[in-house]
C-alpha cells in the first residue's frame, strides 16, 4: 500500500510548437515535457547580456546556463533586447505526448488556431483556447486501435517490433486540410478538417450524385461540442477519420522510416521515406542504398491515394523528412553522413559531410567531407518563414548554416558552413529534441539533455545603417544611447534577412554557390532565455550538506539533508543540488529583546529630490515593535556600519504604543505609523507632522482598534476589530484626511482587505461615477464576513465596481455570476492580499487568500468575454497549489499581539523576485518566475515571527526577520539558486558527461566519474597487420573516463585520476571497508567500478578501484586542495563492473562483474579477495543490499529480479526468490513496510512493479517466487531508486503532532523511496498505513470523476497496466488504488494511490461535500461517509504532503 507522487515536474522538453493560440494575433509557444503541457507567450525586455572574449569551451556553457562557472578571460555586460518566455498555463496530462501540430479550424472560441496533440497508444486530442475559462477546451478525442491480423494461425514475423515499441507521430497538412497519425508498424490514420473550400462545409452534399456518405467505422471520436455527427448537417471542425495501411498505398512502403506533409501542393501530399527491405549493416557492401522517397497525394473525398513520384536508391542511413517552404521548396532528407534535397520534379542534389558518405554509398553527392560532421540526432529549421537558408543543429549543440544554389526556380546545389565560436556557434551545449520559430530572428530549441533555449540571431551589416535602424526602432524606448553598440546586432536589416527570394538578396545573374569564406561571420547567435533542465538524472546521492550556503552559519538551524544528482549529457553535464526548503543566507544578526514586528522604511527628502542614500533607493530606517510584561513599545533604528542604532532626539515616541503597520506616502516624503487608535505622520527626519486620532473618544481612545492597514500612495486602508474599515488620503502636503464613505461601506462586516495600484490596468475596472483624480488607478479589495469579494476604485466609495459573493466557495473559476450549490461548503477565509508576483522579466497581480487552517489559495485575474460577446468582464482563475501546511490551527507564533494571525507580507524586490512571505510556525515564501507558476516553498528556519523586505548597503535586495529567539537577522535568498520546480535548486556546470557520483562525508568531498569523447585509433596488433594501414582521418570516437574529486565548499575540482582509453566509470560507492585482517580496522573508502568497452567484436573488461581521500599540503592560492586521492587497490576483472554495494557486517563489498555477482574483501596487500559469488548468467544492472539484513537485490534486463541472502559463516550467496515474469529492470530497491518486505522495480516500459517476498504465502512456493503486488504506470523512465535514510532527529518534524491521525508518521520503518527519472523529475513512493490507504483510495475515486481532465484523458486508464493472466488493465483499477492488479495476483486489496490526483483535492473547492458523505466515492468503496476534514487532511499530508517525506528532507 503505497502512494506515488511527483515531487518536481519533468524538465526535459520533448516537443515544441509555435502558433497563434490565445488569439488570432497572439504569438504563443506550446511545449511538452513528457506528460506536462505548457503554453507560453513571448515578451521582449531590455536586459543585460554577458559576452566573453574567451575561446574556451566554457563560453557555450555560460551562455546557456548562467549558474555554471566559466573560465572566460574577459567579460562585459551589454544592454540588448531579449525575448523571454512567459508562462500562460500548464497542464498535467494522463499520457505521454508524442507530437504537437497546429490546425487552422473554421471557427474557434479565441479566434486563434487549434492544437492537435498525439499521445502514446495512438491517441490524439484536438483542443482550442477558451477565453471565457482562460484554459484549453477539448474539441474531440480520437483513439485508434491496431488492426488485428487476419490469419492468426500464421505466426507473426519474429523480427517485427512489439506494438508498444512502434513509434507514433503526427503530421498536419500546411493548409490544415487533414492530419495523418502514423501508429503501429505501418498504419496511417487520416483525420480531415473542414475548410472554406470543402464541399461538406458548403452543405451541397447530394447522396444521389456523390453516393453514400462515408461513415466513421474506424475512429472512436467524441466531440466536445455536443457530440454531433456529420450526417446531422452540423459544422464540426473535422470530418470522419479513416485508417489505411501504408502497404495499400504502395507495396514498397514495407518499412516506413519517416513521413511528413509537403508544401506547394494543391491536394494534401505526403512525403514518405521507407524501404522495401530492412537495412542491415552486415549486408551493407551488397545493398547500401536501400531507402526510397515517395510522394503520395491524398483524395479526402474518395479516400484514394496516388503516388506522384519516387526517388529510389537512397543511402541506408536517411532518417528524417524535412519539408521546406518557399523560396526553397521541395524536401530535405537527412542522413547520418549526408543531406539530400528532392524537388517537386524528383530531382536530387546532395552534399557529403564526411568521408564515410563516399565510402559507404554509391550516390552522387557534392564533396564537403572536410567538415567532418556527424548528423545523427540533428535538427534542421529554416531561418525564417521566407528565408532561403537553414539552421543545422548537431547532436553536440554545434551550429551550421545550410545554403542553396538557385538556378531560376530550381535548386542546383547546396552547401554547409559552420558558425564560428565567436559568433555563437557553440551557444548550445547538447543536442536538440525539437525546434520552433517564434518570431523574426528568434527560435526556440528544446532539449532532453540540456537547457532549452530561445536562440536569437542577427546579421553583420554596415554599422552606420544599423545605428540608424536602432534609433528608429527604439525611438519610444528610454535607453541610454551609449549602450546601443551591441543592441544593433538584434535589430538588423530585416529587408536583407527576410527577402522573399534568394535572388532579392543577390545581384541578378549571380548563381554561384555561396562562398563559405565570405559569409562565415554573416550570422551571430546568442541565447535570449533558457528553461532549466535537470534530466537525465543518472546518479544521485543523499546526505547532510558539508557546508551552509554563504553567510548562513547558524548553529541552531538543522540544515537537513540535500540531494545531489547528475544532470545533462555531453557538454551539458552538470551537478544539481536539490533542497526541499529555503535556507536564508544570514549576513547579520542583532539581538532585540521582545521584538515582535519589523518594518523597513525608505524615504525621500524633498530638499534634494533624492532618497536618503542618493538614488539607490536604499532603506534608511527600521521600526520594530516590542512587547514585554509591562510595556508595549515601538523603536526606530537607523543603519550604521556597526549595526542598528536607535534614532534619538526626534519626535518619534517609543512609548506611543505598539505599531500595527508602517508605510510611506507622497512618494516617500511622509512616514506613516499606524497605531491601534491613531495615525502619526512624520517627515523624512522623523519630525512629527500630524497626529490623527481614530477612536470614538479622542482623549481616551476608546472605540474600535485598528488591527490591519494597507498602503497605496496616497491612500491608507484601515481595518478595525469591529469588522469596519476606514480609508484615508494624503493631500499634496502630506495631511491625512478620511475619504467619504458610501452607503455600502457604512455597514460593518469586512474581515480583511488591501489596496493595490493597478498601474498597468490589468483589472480594467471603471467606476460608474466619473473620477477626476491624478492619484492613479488604486483599487480596494475587501473580504466580507460572508466570504464575498468586493472591489472599489478609489476615491469613489459610493458603489463597488466589482462584486463576487462566491469567493469563500473557492470555485475553479470566480466571476460575478457564480452561484454555489446548496450542499457546497464554504471555506473560512481570514486574509486577503492582492500583489504582484514575478521576476524582472514579467510581473502580474494575483489574489492570495489564507484560510483559518493556514491553507493558501491563489487566484489569477483575467478578462473573459461577457455574455453579450462584445464586452469583457473580470474573472479569476484558481491556480493549482499542492502544498499542504504542517500546522492546522494558529499557534503561538502565528498569532499577533491582538490575538490575530500575523499577516502575509508582500515583498517588492527580494533577489529580483516580487514575492509574498507567510510568517508563523510553518513560514514560507510564494515565489514566481516568468516561466513557472507560483511556488510555495517553506523556509528551513522556523518559526519566523515576522519578516520585512530590506535593501541596504550590507544587504541588497534581502530581508530582515525575527526568529524564535527574538533575534533580528538580515538575510538574502541563496545565491545562484532557482525555485521554478518548487524546490531550491542549484546547477553547477562541468561541461563533461557525468556517469556516477557519491559523497565522502568525512572529507566533505564528492567523487564523480566523468567522460569525454576522444578519437579511437586501431592499436598495433601482430595478429591484425591490416590495422596499421588505416588511413582514414575521420576517426570514430569512444569515451574516456576520469575520476575527479570535488570540493563541497567551492565546487571546484581538487584532484583527478585519469582512466585508460575506452574505460568508463559505471558505479561509485563510498563504503566502510575493513582495511586490516589483523586489527579489523575500518575506513570510509571510495570504490569505483569501470568497464573497458573495445567494440562489439571483443569482450568487455572491467576494473575495481579502491581510493582513500588523504590530507596533503594545499596550494597556498587554493586552500581547498588539501586533499588528494590515494589508490589503495586495483583489480582487473573479466567483464564490466556494472554495480557496487556494501554487504554484510564485516566490511566487504558486493560487485556485479560480468555475469557474476561476487563478494570481495580488501586485503592489506591491496588485492580484493573473492569470498562468495552467485552466477547470474547475464550482466547485472542493479545490485542493492538492505542494510543490516544481508538481503541482496539483483536485477538485469533479461531475467528480471533476483533476491539472494548473504551468509558470513561460511561465506555464501544463496538465491531466495525470483520475479515470476520477465522484467526489463532499469532501477530497483527495497521498500520495507513494517514486517512486510517489498521490492520496487522500474522497467523499460515506464512501469513500477511492486513485488513482495513472503515465504509463507502458498503461491510463493516457499519464497521461490516473488509475489506481484501491484503495477503502476508512470510517464517517464526511471533511472535510480534510493531508499531514503532515517530522519536526522525527531526534532526535525513539526511540534504540532497532537492530531490523532499523525501517529503513523512516527513509524520510522515506513521510509519513502526516492525515484529519479530520465525527464529530470523527482518522484516519491511512500508507504501508507492501512487506514490512510483506504481514505486516499476513496478520495481518489471521487476525484477521478469530480476533477476535469486535460485533453479529455483518463487518469485511471493511464495508470493501469495490462498483464497476462493477472486481471487488471480493464475497469478493475489495475495498478491504482482499487486493487485490480493486487487482487488479481494475490487476492487482496492494496494498490498504489495516484498522488498526482489526490493532491488536487482542494482544486474543485467542494471537498467537504464528499467528506460529508453526500457525494460518495463513486465506486471507491466506503470510507467517504464518516471521515472528517481533519482526518482527510492528515491522510493527504501523509501521502503527498510534507509528512510524506517523513521529515527527511
Amino acid at each position: 500500500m503505497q502512494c506515488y507522487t511527483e515531487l518536481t515536474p519533468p524538465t526535459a522538453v520533448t516537443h515544441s510548437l509555435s502558433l497563434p493560440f490565445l488569439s488570432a494575433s497572439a504569438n504563443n509557444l506550446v511545449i511538452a515535457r513528457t506528460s506536462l503541457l505548457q503554453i507560453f507567450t513571448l515578451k521582449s525586455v531590455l536586459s543585460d547580456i554577458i559576452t566573453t572574449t574567451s575561446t574556451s569551451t566554457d563560453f557555450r556553457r555560460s551562455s546557456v546556463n548562467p549558474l555554471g562557472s566559466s573560465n572566460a578571460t574577459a567579460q562585459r555586460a551589454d544592454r540588448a533586447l531579449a525575448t523571454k518566455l512567459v508562462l500562460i498555463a500548464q497542464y498535467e496530462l494522463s499520457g505521454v505526448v508524442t507530437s504537437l501540430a497546429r490546425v487552422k479550424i473554421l471557427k474557434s472560441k479565441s479566434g486563434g488556431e487549434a492544437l492537435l496533440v498525439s499521445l502514446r497508444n495512438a491517441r490524439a486530442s484536438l483542443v482550442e483556447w477558451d477565453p471565457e475559462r482562460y484554459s484549453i477546451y477539448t474539441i474531440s478525442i480520437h483513439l485508434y486501435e491496431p488492426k488485428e491480423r487476419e490469419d492468426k494461425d500464421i505466426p507473426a514475423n519474429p523480427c517485427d517490433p512489439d506494438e508498444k515499441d512502434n513509434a507514433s507521430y503526427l503530421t498536419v497538412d500546411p493548409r490544415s486540410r487533414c492530419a495523418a497519425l502514423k501508429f503501429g508498424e505501418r498504419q496511417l490514420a487520416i483525420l480531415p478538417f473542414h475548410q472554406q473550400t470543402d464541399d461538406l462545409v458548403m452543405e451541397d452534399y447530394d447522396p444521389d450524385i456523390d453516393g453514400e456518405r462515408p461513415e466513421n467505422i474506424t475512429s472512436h471520436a467524441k466531440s466536445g461540442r455536443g457530440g454531433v455527427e456529420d450526417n446531422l448537417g452540423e459544422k464540426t471542425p473535422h470530418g470522419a477519420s479513416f485508417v489505411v495501411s501504408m502497404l495499400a498505398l504502395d507495396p514498397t512502403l514495407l518499412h516506413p522510416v519517416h513521413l511528413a506533409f509537403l508544401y506547394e501542393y494543391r491536394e494534401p501530399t505526403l512525403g514518405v521515406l521507407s524501404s522495401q527491405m530492412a537495412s542491415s549493416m552486415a549486408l551493407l557492401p551488397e545493398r547500401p542504398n536501400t531507402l526510397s522517397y515517395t510522394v503520395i497525394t491524398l483524395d479526402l473525398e474518395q479516400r484514394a491515394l496516388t503516388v506522384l513520384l519516387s526517388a529510389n536508391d537512397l543511402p541506408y542511413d536517411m532518417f528524417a523528412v524535412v519539408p521546406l517552404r518557399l523560396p526553397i521548396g521541395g524536401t530535405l532528407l537527412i542522413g547520418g553522413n549526408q543531406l539530400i534535397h528532392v524537388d517537386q520534379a524528383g530531382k536530387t542534389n546532395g552534399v557529403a559531410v564526411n568521408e564515410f558518405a563516399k565510402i559507404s554509398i554509391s550516390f552522387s553527392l557534392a564533396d564537403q567531407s572536410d567538415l567532418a560532421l556527424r548528423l545523427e540526432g540533428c535538427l534542421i529549421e529554416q531561418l525564417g518563414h521566407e528565408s532561403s537558408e537553414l539552421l543545422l543543429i548537431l547532436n553536440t549543440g554545434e551550429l551550421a548554416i545550410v545554403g542553396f544554389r538557385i538556378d531560376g526556380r530550381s535548386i542546383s546545389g547546396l552547401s554547409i558552413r559552420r558558425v564560428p565560436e565567436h559568433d555563437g556557434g557553440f551557444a548550445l551545449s547538447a543536442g536538440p529534441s525539437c525546434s520552433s520559430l517564434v518570431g523574426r530572428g528568434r527560435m526556440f530549441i528544446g532539449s532532453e539533455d540540456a537547457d532549452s533555449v530561445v536562440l536569437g540571431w542577427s546579421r553583420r551589416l554596415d554599422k552606420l545603417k544599423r545605428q540608424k535602424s536602432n534609433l528608429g526602432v527604439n525611438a519610444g524606448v528610454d535607453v541610454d544611447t551609449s549602450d546601443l553598440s551591441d543592441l544593433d546586432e538584434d535589430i538588423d536589416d530585416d529587408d536583407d534577412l527576410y527577402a522573399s527570394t534568394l535572388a532579392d538578396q543577390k545581384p541578378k545573374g549571380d548563381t554561384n554557390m555561396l562562398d563559405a569564406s565570405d559569409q562565415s561571420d554573416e550570422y551571430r547567435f546568442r541565447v535570449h532565455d533558457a528553461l532549466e533542465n535537470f534530466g537525465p538524472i543518472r546518479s544521485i546521492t543523499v546526505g547532510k550538506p558539508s557546508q551552509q550556503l554563504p553567510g548562513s552559519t547558524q548553529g541552531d538551524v538543522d540544515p537537513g539533508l540535500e540531494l545531489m544528482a547528475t544532470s545533462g549529457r555531453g557538454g551539458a553535464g552538470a551537478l544539481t543540488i536539490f533542497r526541499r526548503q529555503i535556507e536564508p543566507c544570514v549576513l547579520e544578526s542583532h539581538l532585540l529583546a521582545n521584538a515582535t514586528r519589523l518594518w523597513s522604511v525608505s524615504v525621500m527628502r524633498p530638499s534634494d529630490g533624492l532618497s536618503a542614500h542618493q538614488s539607490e533607493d536604499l532603506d534608511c530606517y527600521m521600526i520594530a515593535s516590542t512587547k514585554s510584561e509591562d510595556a508595549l513599545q515601538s523603536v526606530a533604528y537607523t543603519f550604521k556600519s556597526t549595526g542598528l542604532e536607535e534614532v534619538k532626539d526626534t519626535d518619534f515616541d517609543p512609548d506611543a504604543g505598539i505599531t500595527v503597520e508602517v508605510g510611506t506616502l507622497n512618494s516617500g516624503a511622509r512616514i506613516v505609523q499606524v497605531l491601534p487608535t491613531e495615525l502619526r505622520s512624520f517627515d523624512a527626519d522623523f519630525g512629527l507632522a500630524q497626529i490623527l486620532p481614530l477612536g470614538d473618544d479622542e482623549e481616551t481612545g476608546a472605540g474600535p482598534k485598528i488591527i490591519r492597514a494597507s498602503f497605496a500612495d496616497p491612500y491608507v486602508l484601515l481595518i478595525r476589530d469591529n469588522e469596519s474599515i476606514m480609508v484615508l488620503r494624503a493631500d499634496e502636503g502630506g495631511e491625512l484626511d478620511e475619504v467619504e464613505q458610501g452607503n455600502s461601506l457604512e455597514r460593518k462586516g469586512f474581515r480583511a482587505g488591501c489596496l493595490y495600484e493597478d498601474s498597468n490596468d490589468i483589472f480594467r475596472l471603471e467606476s460608474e461615477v466619473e473620477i477626476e483624480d491624478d492619484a492613479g488607478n488604486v483599487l480596494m479589495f475587501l473580504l466580507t464576513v460572508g466570504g464575498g469579494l468586493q472591489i472599489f476604485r478609489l476615491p469613489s466609495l459610493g458603489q463597488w465596481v466589482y462584486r463576487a459573493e462566491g469567493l469563500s466557495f473557492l470555485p475553479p473559476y470566480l466571476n460575478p455570476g457564480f452561484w454555489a450549490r446548496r450542499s457546497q461548503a464554504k471555506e473560512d477565509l481570514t486574509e486577503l492580499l492582492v500583489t504582484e508576483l514575478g521576476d524582472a522579466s514579467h510581473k502580474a497581480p494575483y489574489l492570495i487568500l489564507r484560510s483559518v487552517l493556514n491553507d493558501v489559495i491563489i487566484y489569477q485575474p483575467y478578462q473573459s468575454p461577457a455574455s453579450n460577446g462584445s464586452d469583457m468582464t473580470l474573472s479569476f482563475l484558481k491556480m493549482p497549489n499542492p502544498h499542504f501546511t504542517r500546522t492546522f490551527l494558529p499557534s503561538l507564533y502565528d498569532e499577533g499581539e491582538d490575538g490575530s494571525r500575523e499577516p502575509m507580507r508582500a515583498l517588492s524586490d527580494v533577489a529580483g523576485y516580487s514575492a509574498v512571505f507567510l510568517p508563523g510556525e510553518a513560514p514560507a515564501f510564494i515565489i514566481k518566475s516568468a516561466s513557472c507558476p507560483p511556488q510555495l516553498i517553506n523556509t528551513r528556519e522556523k518559526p519566523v515571527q515576522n519578516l520585512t523586505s530590506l535593501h541596504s548597503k550590507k544587504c541588497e535586495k534581502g530581508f530582515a526577520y525575527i526568529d524564535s529567539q527574538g533575534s533580528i537577522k538580515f538575510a538574502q535568498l541563496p545565491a545562484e539558486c532557482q525555485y521554478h520546480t518548487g524546490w531550491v535548486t542549484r546547477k553547477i556546470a562541468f561541461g563533461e558527461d557525468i556517469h556516477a557520483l557519491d559523497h565522502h562525508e568525512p572529507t566533505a568531498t564528492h567523487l564523480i566519474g566523468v567522460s569525454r569523447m576522444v578519437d579511437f585509433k586501431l592499436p598495433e596488433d601482430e595478429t591484425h597487420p591490416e590495422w596499421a594501414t588505416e588511413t582514414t582521418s575521420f576517426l570514430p570516437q569512444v569515451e574516456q573516463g576520469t575520476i575527479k574529486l570535488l570540493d563541497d565548499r567551492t565546487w571546484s575540482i581538487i584532484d583527478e585520476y585519469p582512466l585508460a582509453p575506452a574505460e568508463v566509470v559505471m558505479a561509485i560507492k563510498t563504503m566502510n571497508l575493513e582495511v586490516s585482517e589483523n586489527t579489523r580496522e575500518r575506513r570510509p573508502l571510495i570504490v569505483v567500478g569501470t568497464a573497458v568497452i573495445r567494440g562489439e567484436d571483443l569482450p568487455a573488461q572491467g576494473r575495481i578501484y579502491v581510493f582513500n581521500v588523504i590530507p596533503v599540503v594545499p596550494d597556498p592560492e587554493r586552500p581547498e586542495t588539501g586533499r588528494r586521492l590515494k589508490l589503495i587497490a586495483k583489480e582487473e576483472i573479466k567483464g564490466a563492473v556494472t554495480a557496487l554495494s556494501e554487504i554484510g557486517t564485516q566490511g566487504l563489498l558486493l560487485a556485479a562483474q560480468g555475469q557474476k555477482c561476487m563478494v570481495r574483501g580488501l586485503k592489506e596487500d591491496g588485492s580484493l579477495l573473492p569470498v562468495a559469488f552467485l552466477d547470474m548468467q547475464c550482466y547485472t544492472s542493479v545490485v542493492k543490499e538492505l542494510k543490516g539484513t544481508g538481503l541482496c537485490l539483483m536485477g538485469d534486463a533479461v531475467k528480471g529480479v533476483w533476491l539472494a541472502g548473504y551468509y558470513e559463516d561460511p561465506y555464501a550467496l544463496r538465491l531466495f526468490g525470483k520475479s515470476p515474469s520477465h522484467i526489463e529492470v532499469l532501477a530497483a530497491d527495497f521498500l520495507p513496510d513494517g514486517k512486510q518486505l517489498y521490492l520496487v522495480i522500474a522497467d523499460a516500459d515506464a512501469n513500477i512493479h511492486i513485488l513482495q517476498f513472503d515465504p509463507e504465502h502458498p503461491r510463493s512456493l516457499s519464497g521461490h517466487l516473488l509475489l506481484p503486488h501491484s503495477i503502476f504506470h508512470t510517464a517517464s523512465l526511471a533511472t535510480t531508486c534510493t531508499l531514503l535514510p532515517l530522519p536526522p532527529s525527531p526534532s526535525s518534524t513539526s511540534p504540532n503532532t497532537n492530531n490523532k491521525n499523525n501517529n503513523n508518521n512516527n513509524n520510522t520503518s515506513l521510509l519513502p523511496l526516492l525515484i529519479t527519472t530520465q525527464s529530470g523529475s523527482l518522484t516519491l513512493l511512500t508507504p501508507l498505513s492501512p487506514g490512510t490507504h483506504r481514505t486516499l483510495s476513496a478520495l481518489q475515486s471521487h476525484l477521478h470523476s469530480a476533477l476535469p481532465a486535460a485533453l479529455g484523458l483518463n487518469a485511471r486508464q493511464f495508470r493501469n497496466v495490462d498483464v497476462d493472466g493477472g486481471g487488471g488493465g480493464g475497469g478493475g483499477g489495475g495498478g491504482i488504488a482499487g486493487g485490480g492488479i493486487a487482487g488479481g495476483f494475490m487476492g487482496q486489496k492494496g494498490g498504489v494511490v495516484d498522488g498526482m490526483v489526490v493532491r488536487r483535492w482542494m482544486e474543485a473547492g467542494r471537498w467537504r461535500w464528499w467528506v460529508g458523505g453526500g457525494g460518495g466515492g463513486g465506486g471507491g468503496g466506503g470510507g467517504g461517509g464518516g471521515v472528517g476534514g481533519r482526518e482527510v487532511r492528515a491522510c493527504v499530508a501523509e501521502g503527498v504532503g510534507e509528512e510524506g517525506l517523513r521529515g527527511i528532507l
Side-chain angles (χ1 to χ4, degrees), residues 1066-1067 1069 1089 1136-1141 1150-1153 1180-1184:
M1066 302 294 292
K1069 291 293 180 182
V1137 181
T1138 54
L1140 296 168
S1141 176
L1150 175 63
Q1153 53 183 69
T1180 304
S1181 57
V1182 180
V1183 168
K1184 294 289 181 69

Side-chain angles (χ1 to χ4, degrees), residues 982-1232:
W983 285 47
V984 183
T985 60
R986 182 188 178 189
K987 195 173 182 181
I988 306 167
F990 282 91
E992 294 181 299
D993 210 349
I994 305 177
H995 297 271
L997 85 156
D998 204 3
H999 186 212
H1000 194 256
E1001 188 172 349
T1003 58
T1005 57
H1006 277 81
L1007 203 72
I1008 60 176
V1010 304
S1011 69
R1012 57 186 178 90
M1013 303 303 294
V1014 296
D1015 292 336
F1016 175 77
K1017 293 184 179 181
L1018 293 174
E1020 296 182 0
D1021 194 333
E1022 297 179 355
T1023 60
H1024 296 278
E1026 69 277 6
W1027 289 1
T1029 61
E1030 184 181 22
T1031 59
T1032 178
S1033 60
F1034 188 63
L1035 297 174
Q1037 291 187 324
V1038 296
E1039 291 181 286
Q1040 181 175 4
T1042 305
I1043 303 170
K1044 295 187 176 184
L1045 188 64
L1046 179 67
D1047 178 65
D1048 290 355
R1049 294 176 175 84
T1050 61
W1051 304 115
S1052 60
I1053 302 299
I1054 59 178
D1055 194 16
E1056 62 181 41
Y1057 183 88
L1059 302 178
E1063 185 177 9
V1064 182
V1065 175
M1066 302 294 292
I1068 296 178
K1069 291 293 180 182
T1070 299
M1071 304 181 188
N1072 191 22
L1073 299 182
E1074 184 180 283
V1075 297
S1076 175
E1077 299 176 84
N1078 299 323
T1079 62
R1080 303 297 181 184
E1081 179 188 358
R1082 295 192 186 185
R1083 294 178 187 172
L1085 303 178
I1086 302 171
V1087 184
V1088 180
T1090 66
V1092 182
I1093 305 172
R1094 300 175 295 174
E1096 59 184 14
D1097 56 340
L1098 296 176
Q1101 295 181 353
R1103 298 184 180 97
I1104 299 179
Y1105 298 86
V1106 181
F1107 293 96
N1108 189 17
V1109 181
I1110 61 173
V1112 295
V1113 178
D1115 185 349
E1117 298 181 356
R1118 298 184 61 195
E1120 71 273 8
T1121 59
R1123 291 149 293 174
R1124 285 289 186 269
L1125 288 173
K1126 179 183 179 181
L1127 182 63
I1128 295 178
K1130 178 181 177 180
E1131 191 79 14
E1132 299 282 346
I1133 304 295
K1134 292 183 179 180
V1137 181
T1138 54
L1140 296 168
S1141 176
E1142 189 175 356
I1143 191 171
T1145 60
Q1146 298 179 351
L1148 304 181
L1149 66 91
L1150 175 63
Q1153 53 183 69
Q1155 300 182 8
K1156 293 182 176 61
C1157 286
M1158 190 168 293
V1159 180
R1160 293 178 175 268
L1162 179 62
K1163 299 180 65 177
E1164 295 181 355
D1165 59 357
S1167 62
L1168 294 173
L1169 179 66
V1171 297
F1173 76 95
L1174 185 63
D1175 191 0
M1176 301 294 297
Q1177 303 174 8
C1178 56
Y1179 279 87
T1180 304
S1181 57
V1182 180
V1183 168
K1184 294 289 181 69
E1185 187 221 12
L1186 186 60
K1187 194 173 182 62
T1189 64
L1191 293 175
C1192 304
L1193 181 152
M1194 306 167 187
D1196 59 77
V1198 178
K1199 293 196 173 184
V1201 178
W1202 297 18
L1203 179 65
Y1206 170 67
Y1207 296 86
E1208 295 180 343
D1209 189 16
Y1211 295 113
L1213 273 175
R1214 297 181 182 176
L1215 181 63
F1216 285 172
K1218 296 182 180 180
S1219 56
S1221 60
H1222 163 70
I1223 302 176
E1224 192 173 350
V1225 180
L1226 297 182
D1229 207 337
F1230 291 97
L1231 186 63

Side-chain angles (χ1 to χ4, degrees), residues 460-745:
R460 296 176 178 268
L461 299 173
D462 180 72
K463 183 177 181 180
L464 179 61
K465 189 176 181 179
R466 287 180 290 158
Q467 290 179 348
K468 292 181 179 179
S469 176
N470 291 337
L471 295 177
V473 173
N474 294 320
V477 181
D478 187 11
V479 183
D480 188 359
T481 57
S482 63
D483 292 330
L484 290 176
S485 59
D486 285 297
L487 183 61
D488 51 2
E489 297 175 359
D490 297 282
I491 309 175
D492 53 10
D493 188 357
D494 293 336
D495 295 335
D496 189 14
L497 179 60
Y498 297 99
S500 59
T501 62
L502 187 61
D504 295 336
Q505 301 180 25
K506 300 180 61 178
K508 293 183 179 180
D510 186 4
T511 59
N512 295 327
M513 187 73 70
L514 298 178
D515 188 1
S517 63
D518 294 339
Q519 303 194 17
S520 60
D521 60 348
E522 182 181 359
Y523 288 96
R524 184 172 184 178
F525 295 87
R526 71 176 179 91
V527 173
H528 288 236
D529 198 7
L531 300 179
E532 203 168 29
N533 174 28
F534 303 128
I537 299 177
R538 299 184 183 179
S539 181
I540 192 169
T541 180
V542 183
K544 273 186 171 292
S546 57
Q547 55 108 17
Q548 304 291 320
L549 295 173
S552 56
T553 57
Q554 312 306 312
D556 56 341
V557 179
D558 183 10
L561 299 180
E562 71 176 10
L563 311 177
M564 177 172 281
T566 64
S567 300
R569 284 196 180 101
L575 293 179
T576 303
I577 302 173
F578 293 88
R579 290 187 179 178
R580 184 66 188 92
Q581 298 171 328
I582 295 177
E583 187 176 350
C585 300
V586 178
L587 305 179
E588 293 184 18
S589 181
H590 306 276
L591 182 60
L592 265 65
N594 304 318
T596 57
R597 289 178 180 175
L598 287 176
W599 295 270
S600 60
V601 181
S602 175
V603 298
M604 185 81 67
R605 286 186 170 86
S607 58
D608 53 10
L610 299 177
S611 64
H613 294 276
Q614 303 302 321
S615 59
E616 299 178 2
D617 197 22
L618 299 178
D619 295 330
C620 51
Y621 297 113
M622 176 168 287
I623 299 177
S625 290
T626 61
K627 179 181 179 181
S628 59
E629 296 180 357
D630 54 353
L632 299 176
Q633 290 185 333
S634 298
V635 185
Y637 298 90
T638 185
F639 299 100
K640 299 295 183 179
S641 58
T642 57
L644 292 176
E645 181 178 323
E646 185 177 352
V647 176
K648 297 182 179 180
D649 299 330
T650 64
D651 293 336
F652 186 86
D653 185 8
D655 297 327
I658 196 164
T659 301
V660 176
E661 188 64 60
V662 175
T664 60
L665 297 177
N666 283 34
S667 301
R670 283 286 186 266
I671 304 174
V672 179
Q673 180 189 17
V674 181
L675 301 172
T677 58
E678 65 181 20
L679 268 72
R680 297 193 175 194
S681 177
F682 303 89
D683 60 17
D685 297 317
F686 275 112
L688 184 62
Q690 181 185 8
I691 298 180
L692 182 63
L694 300 177
D696 295 340
D697 189 339
E698 296 184 0
E699 296 182 359
T700 63
K705 306 293 184 181
I706 301 173
I707 59 175
R708 294 285 185 269
S710 178
F711 288 82
D713 200 4
Y715 298 99
V716 183
L717 169 64
L718 305 177
I719 301 175
R720 295 182 285 193
D721 56 3
N722 65 343
E723 299 178 348
S724 65
I725 68 168
M726 178 182 292
V727 181
L728 306 177
R729 178 175 177 173
D731 57 17
E732 294 181 357
E735 293 294 324
L736 290 169
D737 194 9
E738 183 179 357
V739 178
E740 182 179 354
Q741 298 185 7
N743 296 330
S744 59
L745 290 179

Side-chain angles (χ1 to χ4, degrees), residues 43 45 85-87 837-844 846 928-930:
K43 179 181 180 181
V45 298
L85 296 175
V86 178
L87 181 68
L837 296 177
D839 55 13
S841 300
H842 179 74
K843 297 178 182 179
Y846 287 86
K928 182 189 182 305
S929 62

Side-chain angles (χ1 to χ4, degrees), residues 1350-1362:
L1351 305 186
L1353 301 175
N1354 190 331
R1356 184 190 298 271
Q1357 185 183 32
F1358 173 64
R1359 298 302 187 184
N1360 286 350
V1361 179
D1362 293 328

Side-chain angles (χ1 to χ4, degrees), residues 28 59 154 199 307 363 620 656 696 1003 1182 1250 1343 1356 1406:
N28 300 118
F59 168 77
I154 302 177
D199 291 339
V307 177
F363 198 86
C620 51
D696 295 340
T1003 58
V1182 180
I1250 299 180
L1343 294 178
R1356 184 190 298 271
R1406 47 180 180 172

